[in-house]
């Protein structure tokens, strides 16, 4: 990775009045910039302004979302930041991902952006505050580590306005404007400390929490664009799982990291990234719900619990789990446990339909698992007692699903009465993912159970007349899984 050209020094070109000084890395190899070089770098560049841009695919949807936001908070200024780069180490940063609230309302994904809705007599006027293209007069574009020649071209403000259908302005002017603002203000907190500092005497935690809750609940029912993006994410994820099965022999020769890397390749080629840290849990690691270290051995005869999802370029993620026999065939005890989880998932999926309570699919799945645990003599019945006391949770541990969207655990700050205690509607997308996990050190179960963990997870769309399994491209029944793996290994 290259270093910037110059250290901090007084011979740096002066920034035009009002601009921030160009930040430079200490201990660079060049002692300064000559006047001749500085002048040379200002000229001889072609005009690269893009004039034939079309609006982004979701422009109509983001406009409708902003209109709903405006209607909910009339007369109030609303501030929604994208967030800033976060340092990974020294002068390198993590890959940037804009805040979900910002991306949902704008479709824009660039760091430091801020959406502001200014109240008007008949609603709000939206402005998208962004960094303009890096300055060529003061040398920022080639001298600054954030300049165009270092990190790539940004859209001009005019280009961004065309793409997103929102008037744009220079974000470097925003904090002064916010400090001078009057009237009620709400801001989405946690993403931009500078914006929050400028509003510190104008906002309240209660009002800001109401804003974030509204934006979370707005995403509970997906529009047609969102459903299409989620299906893209799922389809890529299906291909990622197929990729993994084809290289299980290489994973056996190395570790779970080979599985992680294989799926990541599919995510980066077809999407933006993985939607969350891939869980590539082989053998007893499958009993750790969020095993993301992925540094353990992959052994023939064990199970692989693969929980992974591709994130699209618009930030919608899949969330799918399969528990696969590494050698292609379930052992008798593995199949016994797998079939129990499959039956629980079947019951859960069947309970997903419009008008049903959100909790119904969880209750249906848990009942089946409790019945199996009683049948196997692992817990004393009757089943109603087990469920009432939650005794099955020693081996089931987690809830049976969650909303899915731009966050893998989407709509997380929605009110309980509209989420967990709510009613299913067409357009909702949720996971159904029962599991059984017998820890390697659990002395309450027979030895043959210990170290086996099974989860099966699919992404389910609530439809007008029931549901659609968006991830049905991956087999679920044990014999179908074995046949699918055999075909892929071919």
């Amino acid at each position: 990775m290259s270093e910037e050209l110059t250290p901090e020094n007084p011979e740096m070109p002066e920034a035009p009045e009002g601009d921030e000084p160009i930040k430079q890395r200490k201990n660079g190899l060049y002692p300064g910039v000559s006047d001749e070089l500085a002048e040379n770098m200002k000229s001889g560049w072609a005009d690269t302004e893009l004039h034939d841009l079309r609006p982004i695919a979701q422009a109509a949807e983001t406009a409708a979302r902003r209109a709903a936001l405006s209607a909910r908070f009339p007369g109030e200024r609303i501030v929604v930041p994208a967030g800033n780069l976060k340092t990974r180490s020294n002068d390198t940063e993590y890959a940037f991902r804009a805040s979900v609230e910002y991306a949902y309302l704008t479709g824009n994904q660039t760091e430091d952006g801020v959406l502001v809705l200014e109240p008007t007599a008949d609603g709000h006027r939206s402005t998208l505050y962004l960094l303009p293209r890096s300055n060529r007069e003061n040398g920022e574009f080639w001298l600054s580590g954030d300049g165009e020649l270092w990190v790539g071209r940004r859209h001009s403000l005019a280009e961004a306005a065309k793409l997103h259908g929102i008037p744009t302005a220079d974000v470097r002017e925003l904090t002064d404007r916010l400090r001078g603002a009057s009237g009620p203000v709400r801001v989405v907190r946690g993403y931009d400390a500078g914006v929050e500092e400028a509003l510190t005497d104008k906002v309240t935690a209660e009002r800001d929490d109401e804003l974030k809750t509204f934006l979370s609940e707005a995403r509970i029912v997906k529009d047609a664009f969102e459903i299409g993006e989620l299906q893209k994410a799922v389809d890529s994820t299906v291909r990622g799982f197929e990729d993994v099965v084809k290289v299980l022999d290489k994973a056996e020769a190395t570790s779970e990291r080979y599985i992680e890397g294989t799926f990541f390749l599919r995510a980066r080629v077809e999407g933006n990234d993985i939607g969350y840290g891939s869980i590539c849990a082989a053998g007893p690691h499958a009993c750790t719900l969020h095993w993301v270290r992925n540094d353990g051995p992959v052994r023939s005869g064990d199970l692989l619990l693969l929980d992974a999802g591709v994130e699209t370029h618009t930030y919608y993620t899949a969330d799918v789990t399969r528990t696969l026999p590494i050698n292609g065939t379930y052992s008798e005890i593995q199949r016994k446990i797998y079939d129990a989880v499959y039956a629980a998932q079947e019951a859960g999926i069947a309970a997903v339909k419009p008008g049903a309570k959100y909790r119904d699919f969880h209750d249906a799945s848990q009942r089946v698992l409790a019945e199996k645990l009683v049948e196997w003599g692992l817990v004393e019945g009757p089943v109603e007692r087990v469920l009432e006391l939650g005794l099955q949770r020693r081996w089931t541990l987690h809830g049976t699903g969650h909303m899915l969207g731009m966050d893998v655990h989407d709509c997380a700050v929605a009110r309980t009465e509209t989420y967990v205690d709510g009613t299913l509607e067409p357009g909702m997308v949720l996971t159904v993912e029962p599991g059984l996990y017998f820890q390697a050190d659990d002395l309450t179960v027979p030895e043959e159970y210990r170290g086996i963990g099974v989860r099966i997870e699919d992404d389910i769309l609530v439809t007008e007349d029931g549901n659609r399994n968006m991830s049905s491209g991956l087999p679920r029944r044990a014999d179908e899984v074995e046949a699918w793996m055999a075909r892929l290994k071919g």
Side-chain angles (χ1 to χ4, degrees):
M1 185 175 183
S2 301
E3 292 187 342
E4 285 95 330
L5 297 178
T6 58
E8 294 179 22
N9 68 80
E11 299 179 24
M12 288 293 301
E14 292 293 329
E17 189 174 350
D19 284 1
E20 291 291 326
I22 297 172
K23 182 181 179 182
Q24 297 296 312
R25 180 188 279 119
K26 189 177 181 181
N27 292 321
L29 293 175
Y30 286 96
V33 176
S34 68
D35 291 342
E36 290 79 4
L37 176 58
E39 193 62 31
N40 177 276
M41 291 297 289
K42 291 180 182 180
S43 61
W45 305 100
D47 179 9
T48 59
E49 184 75 7
L50 304 175
H51 299 284
D52 298 323
L53 293 173
R54 300 179 63 83
I56 58 173
Q58 69 269 43
E61 285 81 5
T62 56
R65 296 165 192 168
R66 293 193 300 276
L69 176 60
S70 173
R72 173 62 180 82
F73 299 107
E76 302 186 49
R77 182 175 282 100
I78 301 167
V79 182
V80 185
N84 316 123
L85 290 171
K86 290 182 171 59
T87 299
R88 181 181 185 271
S89 175
N90 188 23
D91 54 0
T92 60
E93 290 86 22
Y94 287 105
F96 180 74
R97 188 182 191 274
S99 74
V100 164
E101 294 86 355
Y102 175 86
Y104 177 75
L105 293 168
T106 68
N108 183 264
Q109 299 178 6
T110 55
E111 65 268 20
D112 302 325
V114 184
L115 172 69
V116 178
L117 275 65
E118 299 278 355
T120 63
D122 57 355
H124 286 82
R125 179 180 66 255
S126 295
T127 304
L128 194 55
Y129 287 87
L130 300 168
L131 282 171
R133 290 189 63 188
S134 53
N135 192 312
R136 299 209 173 210
E137 281 301 306
N138 72 351
E140 174 197 355
F141 79 108
W142 71 286
L143 291 172
S144 170
D146 299 322
E148 190 170 295
L149 297 193
W150 289 97
V151 298
R153 183 187 188 278
R154 293 191 288 267
H155 282 297
S156 71
L157 296 183
E159 291 169 352
K162 290 179 184 178
L163 286 169
H164 303 291
I166 309 172
T168 55
D170 190 333
V171 72
R172 293 172 296 187
E173 303 169 359
L174 179 60
T175 53
D176 286 342
R177 293 187 184 183
L178 293 178
R179 287 190 182 96
S182 59
V185 183
R186 296 177 189 259
V187 63
V188 177
R189 300 190 186 201
Y191 299 116
D192 193 315
V195 166
E196 291 179 36
E197 187 277 330
L199 293 170
T200 187
D201 60 341
K202 307 177 194 304
V203 295
T204 68
E206 181 181 8
R207 287 206 305 266
D208 294 347
D209 286 347
E210 287 176 350
L211 171 60
K212 197 157 189 175
T213 296
F214 172 81
L215 291 173
S216 191
E217 292 182 0
R219 304 197 307 274
I220 288 179
V221 176
K222 270 59 181 178
D223 58 38
F225 175 84
E226 293 179 290
I227 293 169
E229 289 299 293
L230 283 166
Q231 189 63 63
K232 286 181 191 176
V234 169
D235 293 344
S236 290
T237 298
V238 168
R239 291 187 283 273
F241 274 65
E242 292 171 347
D243 296 340
V244 166
V245 171
K246 292 175 183 177
V247 300
L248 281 177
D249 57 333
K250 294 182 174 63
E252 286 188 61
T254 52
S255 75
E256 296 163 338
R257 292 276 167 97
Y258 203 96
I259 295 165
E260 178 184 350
T262 298
F263 187 84
F264 181 69
L265 177 62
R266 177 67 66 173
R268 286 293 280 167
V269 167
E270 295 193 2
N272 177 56
D273 206 332
I274 49 175
Y276 53 96
S278 298
I279 299 167
C280 309
H285 287 163
C287 299
T288 301
L289 300 186
H290 289 166
W291 176 260
V292 293
R293 299 179 200 169
N294 299 333
D295 58 359
V298 178
R299 298 188 178 98
S300 179
D302 283 346
L303 296 176
L304 167 67
L305 190 156
L306 177 58
D307 184 337
V310 171
E311 176 186 83
T312 67
H313 293 290
T314 56
Y315 289 174
Y316 290 86
T317 185
D319 182 8
V320 178
T321 307
R322 291 294 183 268
T323 306
L324 311 172
I326 292 167
N327 64 11
T329 304
Y330 295 101
S331 71
E332 183 178 353
I333 184 63
Q334 289 169 349
R335 187 159 186 154
K336 173 182 174 179
I337 296 169
Y338 185 94
D339 286 348
V341 175
Y342 173 77
Q345 196 201 27
E346 283 281 273
I349 292 173
V352 175
K353 54 191 173 184
K357 294 296 184 185
Y358 176 85
R359 291 180 181 271
D360 287 353
F361 76 94
H362 169 73
D363 293 341
S365 291
Q366 291 294 302
R367 176 171 291 277
V368 172
L369 295 178
E371 289 170 350
K372 294 296 183 181
L373 292 167
V374 171
E375 176 187 327
W376 298 341
L378 301 185
V379 64
E380 183 182 347
V383 169
E384 293 298 337
R385 168 184 170 274
V386 173
L387 292 170
E388 181 181 355
L389 299 176
L391 301 179
Q392 83 283 1
R393 293 182 61 185
R394 181 181 178 105
W395 304 285
T396 66
L397 293 172
H398 55 80
T400 311
H402 52 80
M403 293 291 187
L404 184 67
M406 297 180 85
D407 283 326
V408 65
H409 298 143
D410 209 30
C411 314
V413 298
R415 291 168 296 171
T416 300
E417 57 265 31
T418 61
Y419 189 159
V420 174
D421 291 339
T423 300
L424 296 180
E425 300 177 41
M428 291 181 175
V429 179
L430 57 131
T431 67
V432 178
E433 50 174 314
L436 282 173
Y437 312 92
F438 299 101
Q439 304 298 326
D441 59 351
D442 188 348
L443 301 181
T444 69
V445 300
E447 188 173 356
E448 63 178 350
Y449 287 76
R450 297 174 197 165
I452 296 177
V454 174
R455 179 162 68 251
I456 312 171
E457 178 181 20
D458 284 270
D459 302 341
I460 309 298
L461 168 67
V462 183
T463 62
E464 294 289 345
D465 57 357
N467 69 67
R468 174 164 65 86
N469 185 345
M470 302 177 78
S471 45
S472 61
L474 285 175
R476 293 186 296 123
R477 210 173 63 202
D479 58 339
E480 293 174 342
V481 170
E482 291 174 339
W484 170 71
M485 292 183 68
R487 185 170 66 254
L488 289 172
K489 289 184 174 183

